[in-house]
Amino acid sequence: MNEQQFDKYLNINTIGEQYGFPKLAHYHRYEPTPYAGLEQLFEQYELPENPVFVDMGCGKGRVPIYIHDKFHIPTVGVEMDAGFHAEAEHNKINYVQKKHKGELIAFEHVIAEEYSIKSVDNVFFFFNPFSIKIFRTVIHNIWKSYELNMREIHLILYYPSHDYLQFLEYGTPFALAHEVYLRNETNINERLCVFTLEKA
């Protein structure tokens, strides 16, 4: 399926990039994660046991709704922009009306570094949503949660920035476990990287 067909299948509207976004030093504009990339990722990668999926910078809610539909697991979308948060909630309503499910999808209107990480959250998705400064803070919060409740944690990075990769490799205990290069792409940055932290 193409982008339009996937949105129609899920009964949501997430196509289109963000316009009129204020120029903020640490937050990047919205761009929906391509469905094709997600499909290819899950051809090669398996979620951990009892997954709870958190999308940091979820925009209109595409990824949490897609993941919920595919795996029937709890998903959370974290979004700082009030307009996109409202669109995500609206998309959830439309999805539920068609699919008759969705009670395990939640959207939180909060900046990523202030999201309260739950003890069950164990898969975190990033489509390069903010600067390395914010990313470090979010990873620190994930690590603090891990110390309180040690569990296997996965980080999924789509189109990861060099700064993100360097920080995870040299500044954290996370280890690169999967690297998925997307088909029909010539840019080597067009890939998904999965970092894991095993339960101690």
Side-chain angles (χ1 to χ4, degrees), residues 17-60:
E17 297 182 359
Q18 184 173 13
Y19 297 99
F21 189 68
K23 292 183 178 179
L24 301 175
H26 294 293
Y27 298 91
H28 304 157
R29 68 183 175 89
Y30 165 74
E31 181 180 350
T33 304
Y35 286 113
L38 295 171
E39 288 282 280
Q40 189 175 334
L41 170 68
F42 292 109
E43 289 172 6
Q44 305 178 42
Y45 158 72
E46 290 187 8
L47 292 164
E49 187 176 351
N50 301 316
V52 177
F53 185 101
V54 181
D55 181 1
M56 290 292 185
C58 71
K60 300 177 184 179

mmCIF file of all heavy atoms in Angstrom, residues 17-60:
data_model
loop_
_atom_site.group_PDB
_atom_site.id
_atom_site.type_symbol
_atom_site.label_atom_id
_atom_site.label_comp_id
_atom_site.label_asym_id
_atom_site.label_seq_id
_atom_site.Cartn_x
_atom_site.Cartn_y
_atom_site.Cartn_z
ATOM 1 N N GLU A 17 3.492 17.615 5.276
ATOM 2 C CA GLU A 17 4.496 18.108 6.208
ATOM 3 C C GLU A 17 3.960 19.323 6.955
ATOM 4 O O GLU A 17 2.882 19.830 6.670
ATOM 5 C CB GLU A 17 5.788 18.451 5.466
ATOM 6 C CG GLU A 17 6.425 17.230 4.803
ATOM 7 C CD GLU A 17 7.719 17.547 4.099
ATOM 8 O OE1 GLU A 17 8.125 18.724 4.101
ATOM 9 O OE2 GLU A 17 8.324 16.627 3.535
ATOM 10 N N GLN A 18 4.738 19.775 7.910
ATOM 11 C CA GLN A 18 4.310 20.876 8.759
ATOM 12 C C GLN A 18 4.709 22.203 8.146
ATOM 13 O O GLN A 18 5.842 22.394 7.709
ATOM 14 C CB GLN A 18 4.961 20.716 10.131
ATOM 15 C CG GLN A 18 4.535 21.749 11.144
ATOM 16 C CD GLN A 18 5.096 21.421 12.507
ATOM 17 O OE1 GLN A 18 5.971 20.585 12.632
ATOM 18 N NE2 GLN A 18 4.618 22.089 13.523
ATOM 19 N N TYR A 19 3.762 23.119 8.134
ATOM 20 C CA TYR A 19 4.029 24.458 7.618
ATOM 21 C C TYR A 19 3.694 25.484 8.685
ATOM 22 O O TYR A 19 2.826 25.272 9.534
ATOM 23 C CB TYR A 19 3.215 24.719 6.354
ATOM 24 C CG TYR A 19 3.577 23.781 5.218
ATOM 25 C CD1 TYR A 19 2.801 22.663 4.935
ATOM 26 C CD2 TYR A 19 4.728 23.996 4.458
ATOM 27 C CE1 TYR A 19 3.147 21.793 3.917
ATOM 28 C CE2 TYR A 19 5.075 23.120 3.445
ATOM 29 C CZ TYR A 19 4.285 22.031 3.175
ATOM 30 O OH TYR A 19 4.639 21.162 2.177
ATOM 31 N N GLY A 20 4.392 26.610 8.649
ATOM 32 C CA GLY A 20 4.141 27.659 9.613
ATOM 33 C C GLY A 20 4.670 27.352 10.996
ATOM 34 O O GLY A 20 4.288 27.987 11.971
ATOM 35 N N PHE A 21 5.554 26.347 11.090
ATOM 36 C CA PHE A 21 6.099 25.985 12.395
ATOM 37 C C PHE A 21 7.111 27.033 12.826
ATOM 38 O O PHE A 21 7.970 27.442 12.051
ATOM 39 C CB PHE A 21 6.781 24.619 12.295
ATOM 40 C CG PHE A 21 7.208 24.036 13.616
ATOM 41 C CD1 PHE A 21 6.260 23.621 14.532
ATOM 42 C CD2 PHE A 21 8.544 23.911 13.920
ATOM 43 C CE1 PHE A 21 6.649 23.056 15.742
ATOM 44 C CE2 PHE A 21 8.938 23.351 15.127
ATOM 45 C CZ PHE A 21 7.989 22.929 16.032
ATOM 46 N N PRO A 22 7.027 27.532 14.051
ATOM 47 C CA PRO A 22 7.989 28.548 14.499
ATOM 48 C C PRO A 22 9.401 27.995 14.510
ATOM 49 O O PRO A 22 9.621 26.818 14.785
ATOM 50 C CB PRO A 22 7.507 28.887 15.915
ATOM 51 C CG PRO A 22 6.727 27.690 16.352
ATOM 52 C CD PRO A 22 6.086 27.141 15.106
ATOM 53 N N LYS A 23 10.344 28.832 14.216
ATOM 54 C CA LYS A 23 11.737 28.401 14.188
ATOM 55 C C LYS A 23 12.248 28.278 15.624
ATOM 56 O O LYS A 23 12.567 29.267 16.269
ATOM 57 C CB LYS A 23 12.585 29.396 13.380
ATOM 58 C CG LYS A 23 12.260 29.387 11.894
ATOM 59 C CD LYS A 23 13.174 30.321 11.125
ATOM 60 C CE LYS A 23 12.876 30.269 9.625
ATOM 61 N NZ LYS A 23 13.740 31.181 8.848
ATOM 62 N N LEU A 24 12.297 27.051 16.103
ATOM 63 C CA LEU A 24 12.762 26.774 17.449
ATOM 64 C C LEU A 24 14.112 26.082 17.357
ATOM 65 O O LEU A 24 14.319 25.217 16.511
ATOM 66 C CB LEU A 24 11.763 25.884 18.194
ATOM 67 C CG LEU A 24 10.341 26.452 18.327
ATOM 68 C CD1 LEU A 24 9.425 25.424 18.980
ATOM 69 C CD2 LEU A 24 10.348 27.746 19.129
ATOM 70 N N ALA A 25 15.005 26.465 18.253
ATOM 71 C CA ALA A 25 16.375 25.964 18.172
ATOM 72 C C ALA A 25 16.455 24.450 18.386
ATOM 73 O O ALA A 25 17.309 23.784 17.810
ATOM 74 C CB ALA A 25 17.242 26.674 19.200
ATOM 75 N N HIS A 26 15.564 23.909 19.198
ATOM 76 C CA HIS A 26 15.741 22.522 19.621
ATOM 77 C C HIS A 26 14.677 21.553 19.114
ATOM 78 O O HIS A 26 14.755 20.358 19.376
ATOM 79 C CB HIS A 26 15.799 22.450 21.152
ATOM 80 C CG HIS A 26 17.004 23.133 21.724
ATOM 81 N ND1 HIS A 26 18.286 22.662 21.528
ATOM 82 C CD2 HIS A 26 17.123 24.267 22.462
ATOM 83 C CE1 HIS A 26 19.141 23.466 22.136
ATOM 84 N NE2 HIS A 26 18.466 24.436 22.704
ATOM 85 N N TYR A 27 13.670 22.037 18.403
ATOM 86 C CA TYR A 27 12.603 21.156 17.931
ATOM 87 C C TYR A 27 12.486 21.247 16.419
ATOM 88 O O TYR A 27 12.506 22.328 15.848
ATOM 89 C CB TYR A 27 11.273 21.516 18.596
ATOM 90 C CG TYR A 27 11.304 21.341 20.091
ATOM 91 C CD1 TYR A 27 11.665 22.397 20.926
ATOM 92 C CD2 TYR A 27 11.013 20.113 20.669
ATOM 93 C CE1 TYR A 27 11.726 22.234 22.294
ATOM 94 C CE2 TYR A 27 11.065 19.935 22.039
ATOM 95 C CZ TYR A 27 11.422 21.010 22.853
ATOM 96 O OH TYR A 27 11.490 20.836 24.212
ATOM 97 N N HIS A 28 12.332 20.099 15.771
ATOM 98 C CA HIS A 28 12.280 20.045 14.319
ATOM 99 C C HIS A 28 10.835 19.962 13.836
ATOM 100 O O HIS A 28 9.952 19.513 14.553
ATOM 101 C CB HIS A 28 13.081 18.838 13.817
ATOM 102 C CG HIS A 28 14.500 18.846 14.312
ATOM 103 N ND1 HIS A 28 15.263 17.708 14.396
ATOM 104 C CD2 HIS A 28 15.294 19.866 14.755
ATOM 105 C CE1 HIS A 28 16.476 18.019 14.867
ATOM 106 N NE2 HIS A 28 16.510 19.310 15.094
ATOM 107 N N ARG A 29 10.613 20.375 12.593
ATOM 108 C CA ARG A 29 9.254 20.398 12.054
ATOM 109 C C ARG A 29 8.727 18.987 11.834
ATOM 110 O O ARG A 29 9.480 18.033 11.686
ATOM 111 C CB ARG A 29 9.211 21.180 10.741
ATOM 112 C CG ARG A 29 9.935 20.520 9.582
ATOM 113 C CD ARG A 29 9.888 21.417 8.347
ATOM 114 N NE ARG A 29 10.676 20.871 7.257
ATOM 115 C CZ ARG A 29 10.211 20.036 6.349
ATOM 116 N NH1 ARG A 29 8.961 19.647 6.397
ATOM 117 N NH2 ARG A 29 10.975 19.584 5.386
ATOM 118 N N TYR A 30 7.418 18.888 11.817
ATOM 119 C CA TYR A 30 6.752 17.596 11.632
ATOM 120 C C TYR A 30 6.914 17.087 10.205
ATOM 121 O O TYR A 30 6.752 17.819 9.241
ATOM 122 C CB TYR A 30 5.258 17.743 11.947
ATOM 123 C CG TYR A 30 4.409 16.596 11.462
ATOM 124 C CD1 TYR A 30 4.438 15.357 12.116
ATOM 125 C CD2 TYR A 30 3.572 16.733 10.360
ATOM 126 C CE1 TYR A 30 3.657 14.293 11.679
ATOM 127 C CE2 TYR A 30 2.783 15.680 9.920
ATOM 128 C CZ TYR A 30 2.826 14.467 10.577
ATOM 129 O OH TYR A 30 2.062 13.422 10.146
ATOM 130 N N GLU A 31 7.235 15.818 10.113
ATOM 131 C CA GLU A 31 7.231 15.111 8.836
ATOM 132 C C GLU A 31 6.820 13.676 9.145
ATOM 133 O O GLU A 31 7.428 13.026 9.994
ATOM 134 C CB GLU A 31 8.625 15.131 8.196
ATOM 135 C CG GLU A 31 8.679 14.435 6.854
ATOM 136 C CD GLU A 31 10.074 14.466 6.250
ATOM 137 O OE1 GLU A 31 10.941 15.185 6.769
ATOM 138 O OE2 GLU A 31 10.285 13.748 5.256
ATOM 139 N N PRO A 32 5.765 13.170 8.520
ATOM 140 C CA PRO A 32 5.299 11.822 8.869
ATOM 141 C C PRO A 32 6.308 10.743 8.498
ATOM 142 O O PRO A 32 6.953 10.820 7.453
ATOM 143 C CB PRO A 32 4.006 11.675 8.064
ATOM 144 C CG PRO A 32 4.136 12.643 6.931
ATOM 145 C CD PRO A 32 4.945 13.785 7.464
ATOM 146 N N THR A 33 6.441 9.762 9.366
ATOM 147 C CA THR A 33 7.311 8.616 9.092
ATOM 148 C C THR A 33 6.713 7.795 7.954
ATOM 149 O O THR A 33 5.548 7.416 8.026
ATOM 150 C CB THR A 33 7.433 7.728 10.346
ATOM 151 O OG1 THR A 33 7.896 8.520 11.439
ATOM 152 C CG2 THR A 33 8.380 6.574 10.095
ATOM 153 N N PRO A 34 7.471 7.502 6.910
ATOM 154 C CA PRO A 34 6.924 6.715 5.802
ATOM 155 C C PRO A 34 6.475 5.317 6.246
ATOM 156 O O PRO A 34 7.198 4.621 6.945
ATOM 157 C CB PRO A 34 8.098 6.628 4.818
ATOM 158 C CG PRO A 34 8.942 7.822 5.133
ATOM 159 C CD PRO A 34 8.831 7.998 6.620
ATOM 160 N N TYR A 35 5.287 4.949 5.834
ATOM 161 C CA TYR A 35 4.789 3.613 6.157
ATOM 162 C C TYR A 35 5.723 2.530 5.611
ATOM 163 O O TYR A 35 5.921 1.485 6.247
ATOM 164 C CB TYR A 35 3.397 3.408 5.553
ATOM 165 C CG TYR A 35 2.276 4.131 6.256
ATOM 166 C CD1 TYR A 35 1.591 5.173 5.620
ATOM 167 C CD2 TYR A 35 1.871 3.761 7.537
ATOM 168 C CE1 TYR A 35 0.530 5.828 6.250
ATOM 169 C CE2 TYR A 35 0.811 4.416 8.167
ATOM 170 C CZ TYR A 35 0.147 5.442 7.522
ATOM 171 O OH TYR A 35 -0.900 6.083 8.147
ATOM 172 N N ALA A 36 6.284 2.771 4.432
ATOM 173 C CA ALA A 36 7.157 1.761 3.821
ATOM 174 C C ALA A 36 8.346 1.449 4.715
ATOM 175 O O ALA A 36 8.781 0.292 4.815
ATOM 176 C CB ALA A 36 7.629 2.236 2.447
ATOM 177 N N GLY A 37 8.887 2.465 5.375
ATOM 178 C CA GLY A 37 9.999 2.248 6.287
ATOM 179 C C GLY A 37 9.598 1.408 7.487
ATOM 180 O O GLY A 37 10.340 0.522 7.926
ATOM 181 N N LEU A 38 8.410 1.683 8.019
ATOM 182 C CA LEU A 38 7.921 0.903 9.155
ATOM 183 C C LEU A 38 7.691 -0.554 8.754
ATOM 184 O O LEU A 38 8.051 -1.477 9.492
ATOM 185 C CB LEU A 38 6.629 1.519 9.690
ATOM 186 C CG LEU A 38 6.761 2.920 10.293
ATOM 187 C CD1 LEU A 38 5.381 3.507 10.580
ATOM 188 C CD2 LEU A 38 7.599 2.893 11.568
ATOM 189 N N GLU A 39 7.110 -0.752 7.578
ATOM 190 C CA GLU A 39 6.865 -2.109 7.100
ATOM 191 C C GLU A 39 8.180 -2.869 6.954
ATOM 192 O O GLU A 39 8.290 -4.032 7.341
ATOM 193 C CB GLU A 39 6.135 -2.056 5.759
ATOM 194 C CG GLU A 39 4.691 -1.617 5.848
ATOM 195 C CD GLU A 39 3.771 -2.730 6.325
ATOM 196 O OE1 GLU A 39 3.396 -3.591 5.509
ATOM 197 O OE2 GLU A 39 3.433 -2.735 7.537
ATOM 198 N N GLN A 40 9.178 -2.218 6.403
ATOM 199 C CA GLN A 40 10.459 -2.897 6.200
ATOM 200 C C GLN A 40 11.147 -3.189 7.532
ATOM 201 O O GLN A 40 11.761 -4.238 7.709
ATOM 202 C CB GLN A 40 11.369 -2.054 5.305
ATOM 203 C CG GLN A 40 12.623 -2.803 4.881
ATOM 204 C CD GLN A 40 13.466 -2.013 3.895
ATOM 205 O OE1 GLN A 40 12.966 -1.167 3.165
ATOM 206 N NE2 GLN A 40 14.756 -2.296 3.893
ATOM 207 N N LEU A 41 11.037 -2.251 8.479
ATOM 208 C CA LEU A 41 11.630 -2.473 9.796
ATOM 209 C C LEU A 41 11.120 -3.762 10.416
ATOM 210 O O LEU A 41 11.902 -4.592 10.890
ATOM 211 C CB LEU A 41 11.311 -1.290 10.711
ATOM 212 C CG LEU A 41 11.660 -1.486 12.199
ATOM 213 C CD1 LEU A 41 13.167 -1.552 12.401
ATOM 214 C CD2 LEU A 41 11.053 -0.366 13.046
ATOM 215 N N PHE A 42 9.805 -3.950 10.387
ATOM 216 C CA PHE A 42 9.225 -5.090 11.091
ATOM 217 C C PHE A 42 9.289 -6.383 10.284
ATOM 218 O O PHE A 42 8.869 -7.432 10.763
ATOM 219 C CB PHE A 42 7.808 -4.751 11.536
ATOM 220 C CG PHE A 42 7.792 -3.698 12.614
ATOM 221 C CD1 PHE A 42 7.340 -2.416 12.354
ATOM 222 C CD2 PHE A 42 8.280 -3.984 13.879
ATOM 223 C CE1 PHE A 42 7.344 -1.443 13.346
ATOM 224 C CE2 PHE A 42 8.292 -3.019 14.877
ATOM 225 C CZ PHE A 42 7.832 -1.746 14.610
ATOM 226 N N GLU A 43 9.857 -6.322 9.105
ATOM 227 C CA GLU A 43 10.221 -7.546 8.401
ATOM 228 C C GLU A 43 11.487 -8.149 9.005
ATOM 229 O O GLU A 43 11.747 -9.349 8.867
ATOM 230 C CB GLU A 43 10.478 -7.252 6.918
ATOM 231 C CG GLU A 43 9.235 -6.911 6.108
ATOM 232 C CD GLU A 43 9.591 -6.454 4.701
ATOM 233 O OE1 GLU A 43 10.788 -6.520 4.330
ATOM 234 O OE2 GLU A 43 8.679 -6.014 3.975
ATOM 235 N N GLN A 44 12.286 -7.301 9.672
ATOM 236 C CA GLN A 44 13.604 -7.733 10.133
ATOM 237 C C GLN A 44 13.804 -7.624 11.644
ATOM 238 O O GLN A 44 14.799 -8.099 12.174
ATOM 239 C CB GLN A 44 14.678 -6.887 9.434
ATOM 240 C CG GLN A 44 14.590 -6.907 7.920
ATOM 241 C CD GLN A 44 15.640 -6.019 7.279
ATOM 242 O OE1 GLN A 44 16.791 -6.003 7.701
ATOM 243 N NE2 GLN A 44 15.246 -5.272 6.248
ATOM 244 N N TYR A 45 12.883 -6.992 12.322
ATOM 245 C CA TYR A 45 13.069 -6.684 13.741
ATOM 246 C C TYR A 45 11.844 -7.110 14.531
ATOM 247 O O TYR A 45 10.711 -6.923 14.085
ATOM 248 C CB TYR A 45 13.320 -5.180 13.895
ATOM 249 C CG TYR A 45 13.008 -4.630 15.270
ATOM 250 C CD1 TYR A 45 13.821 -4.914 16.364
ATOM 251 C CD2 TYR A 45 11.889 -3.812 15.479
ATOM 252 C CE1 TYR A 45 13.528 -4.413 17.624
ATOM 253 C CE2 TYR A 45 11.593 -3.308 16.724
ATOM 254 C CZ TYR A 45 12.414 -3.611 17.793
ATOM 255 O OH TYR A 45 12.117 -3.114 19.041
ATOM 256 N N GLU A 46 12.081 -7.665 15.725
ATOM 257 C CA GLU A 46 10.991 -8.075 16.604
ATOM 258 C C GLU A 46 10.992 -7.216 17.862
ATOM 259 O O GLU A 46 12.047 -6.940 18.447
ATOM 260 C CB GLU A 46 11.129 -9.545 16.990
ATOM 261 C CG GLU A 46 10.864 -10.506 15.853
ATOM 262 C CD GLU A 46 10.837 -11.955 16.319
ATOM 263 O OE1 GLU A 46 10.867 -12.194 17.554
ATOM 264 O OE2 GLU A 46 10.791 -12.841 15.456
ATOM 265 N N LEU A 47 9.811 -6.819 18.280
ATOM 266 C CA LEU A 47 9.657 -6.062 19.506
ATOM 267 C C LEU A 47 10.013 -6.928 20.706
ATOM 268 O O LEU A 47 9.937 -8.155 20.645
ATOM 269 C CB LEU A 47 8.211 -5.577 19.639
ATOM 270 C CG LEU A 47 7.748 -4.530 18.625
ATOM 271 C CD1 LEU A 47 6.227 -4.430 18.624
ATOM 272 C CD2 LEU A 47 8.372 -3.177 18.915
ATOM 273 N N PRO A 48 10.388 -6.309 21.825
ATOM 274 C CA PRO A 48 10.689 -7.101 23.026
ATOM 275 C C PRO A 48 9.409 -7.684 23.626
ATOM 276 O O PRO A 48 8.294 -7.377 23.186
ATOM 277 C CB PRO A 48 11.325 -6.078 23.970
ATOM 278 C CG PRO A 48 10.732 -4.768 23.550
ATOM 279 C CD PRO A 48 10.571 -4.871 22.057
ATOM 280 N N GLU A 49 9.569 -8.471 24.642
ATOM 281 C CA GLU A 49 8.424 -9.075 25.328
ATOM 282 C C GLU A 49 7.595 -7.995 26.021
ATOM 283 O O GLU A 49 8.145 -7.036 26.569
ATOM 284 C CB GLU A 49 8.927 -10.094 26.354
ATOM 285 C CG GLU A 49 7.848 -10.911 27.010
ATOM 286 C CD GLU A 49 8.403 -11.966 27.948
ATOM 287 O OE1 GLU A 49 9.632 -12.156 27.954
ATOM 288 O OE2 GLU A 49 7.608 -12.578 28.675
ATOM 289 N N ASN A 50 6.288 -8.121 25.987
ATOM 290 C CA ASN A 50 5.362 -7.170 26.620
ATOM 291 C C ASN A 50 5.665 -5.720 26.224
ATOM 292 O O ASN A 50 5.879 -4.863 27.082
ATOM 293 C CB ASN A 50 5.399 -7.316 28.146
ATOM 294 C CG ASN A 50 5.016 -8.706 28.607
ATOM 295 O OD1 ASN A 50 4.058 -9.279 28.100
ATOM 296 N ND2 ASN A 50 5.774 -9.251 29.547
ATOM 297 N N PRO A 51 5.649 -5.423 24.946
ATOM 298 C CA PRO A 51 6.049 -4.083 24.511
ATOM 299 C C PRO A 51 5.005 -3.017 24.823
ATOM 300 O O PRO A 51 3.796 -3.241 24.719
ATOM 301 C CB PRO A 51 6.208 -4.249 22.992
ATOM 302 C CG PRO A 51 5.275 -5.366 22.646
ATOM 303 C CD PRO A 51 5.303 -6.299 23.821
ATOM 304 N N VAL A 52 5.502 -1.863 25.231
ATOM 305 C CA VAL A 52 4.713 -0.632 25.314
ATOM 306 C C VAL A 52 5.481 0.397 24.507
ATOM 307 O O VAL A 52 6.613 0.757 24.851
ATOM 308 C CB VAL A 52 4.504 -0.163 26.761
ATOM 309 C CG1 VAL A 52 3.748 1.166 26.783
ATOM 310 C CG2 VAL A 52 3.748 -1.209 27.570
ATOM 311 N N PHE A 53 4.877 0.871 23.434
ATOM 312 C CA PHE A 53 5.565 1.649 22.403
ATOM 313 C C PHE A 53 5.297 3.136 22.599
ATOM 314 O O PHE A 53 4.144 3.556 22.678
ATOM 315 C CB PHE A 53 5.063 1.186 21.034
ATOM 316 C CG PHE A 53 5.756 1.803 19.852
ATOM 317 C CD1 PHE A 53 6.736 1.098 19.177
ATOM 318 C CD2 PHE A 53 5.410 3.071 19.400
ATOM 319 C CE1 PHE A 53 7.371 1.653 18.070
ATOM 320 C CE2 PHE A 53 6.035 3.627 18.304
ATOM 321 C CZ PHE A 53 7.017 2.917 17.633
ATOM 322 N N VAL A 54 6.373 3.943 22.676
ATOM 323 C CA VAL A 54 6.252 5.383 22.881
ATOM 324 C C VAL A 54 6.907 6.117 21.712
ATOM 325 O O VAL A 54 8.098 5.927 21.446
ATOM 326 C CB VAL A 54 6.916 5.826 24.207
ATOM 327 C CG1 VAL A 54 6.745 7.330 24.413
ATOM 328 C CG2 VAL A 54 6.343 5.049 25.386
ATOM 329 N N ASP A 55 6.131 6.960 21.027
ATOM 330 C CA ASP A 55 6.639 7.760 19.912
ATOM 331 C C ASP A 55 6.917 9.168 20.418
ATOM 332 O O ASP A 55 6.005 9.909 20.766
ATOM 333 C CB ASP A 55 5.602 7.783 18.787
ATOM 334 C CG ASP A 55 6.066 8.573 17.564
ATOM 335 O OD1 ASP A 55 7.200 9.093 17.565
ATOM 336 O OD2 ASP A 55 5.276 8.679 16.606
ATOM 337 N N MET A 56 8.194 9.530 20.457
ATOM 338 C CA MET A 56 8.602 10.846 20.936
ATOM 339 C C MET A 56 8.532 11.864 19.796
ATOM 340 O O MET A 56 9.409 11.910 18.932
ATOM 341 C CB MET A 56 10.022 10.778 21.501
ATOM 342 C CG MET A 56 10.144 10.008 22.796
ATOM 343 S SD MET A 56 9.319 10.905 24.131
ATOM 344 C CE MET A 56 9.750 9.884 25.541
ATOM 345 N N GLY A 57 7.490 12.669 19.799
ATOM 346 C CA GLY A 57 7.256 13.609 18.715
ATOM 347 C C GLY A 57 6.352 12.969 17.683
ATOM 348 O O GLY A 57 6.742 12.780 16.530
ATOM 349 N N CYS A 58 5.132 12.632 18.103
ATOM 350 C CA CYS A 58 4.269 11.772 17.279
ATOM 351 C C CYS A 58 3.499 12.526 16.207
ATOM 352 O O CYS A 58 2.846 11.894 15.371
ATOM 353 C CB CYS A 58 3.298 11.016 18.173
ATOM 354 S SG CYS A 58 1.997 12.036 18.900
ATOM 355 N N GLY A 59 3.528 13.859 16.214
ATOM 356 C CA GLY A 59 2.794 14.604 15.200
ATOM 357 C C GLY A 59 1.318 14.277 15.229
ATOM 358 O O GLY A 59 0.645 14.378 16.255
ATOM 359 N N LYS A 60 0.794 13.826 14.095
ATOM 360 C CA LYS A 60 -0.635 13.547 13.958
ATOM 361 C C LYS A 60 -1.018 12.129 14.390
ATOM 362 O O LYS A 60 -2.156 11.716 14.194
ATOM 363 C CB LYS A 60 -1.062 13.783 12.515
ATOM 364 C CG LYS A 60 -0.816 15.220 12.035
ATOM 365 C CD LYS A 60 -1.179 15.390 10.561
ATOM 366 C CE LYS A 60 -0.852 16.797 10.065
ATOM 367 N NZ LYS A 60 -1.188 16.968 8.627
#
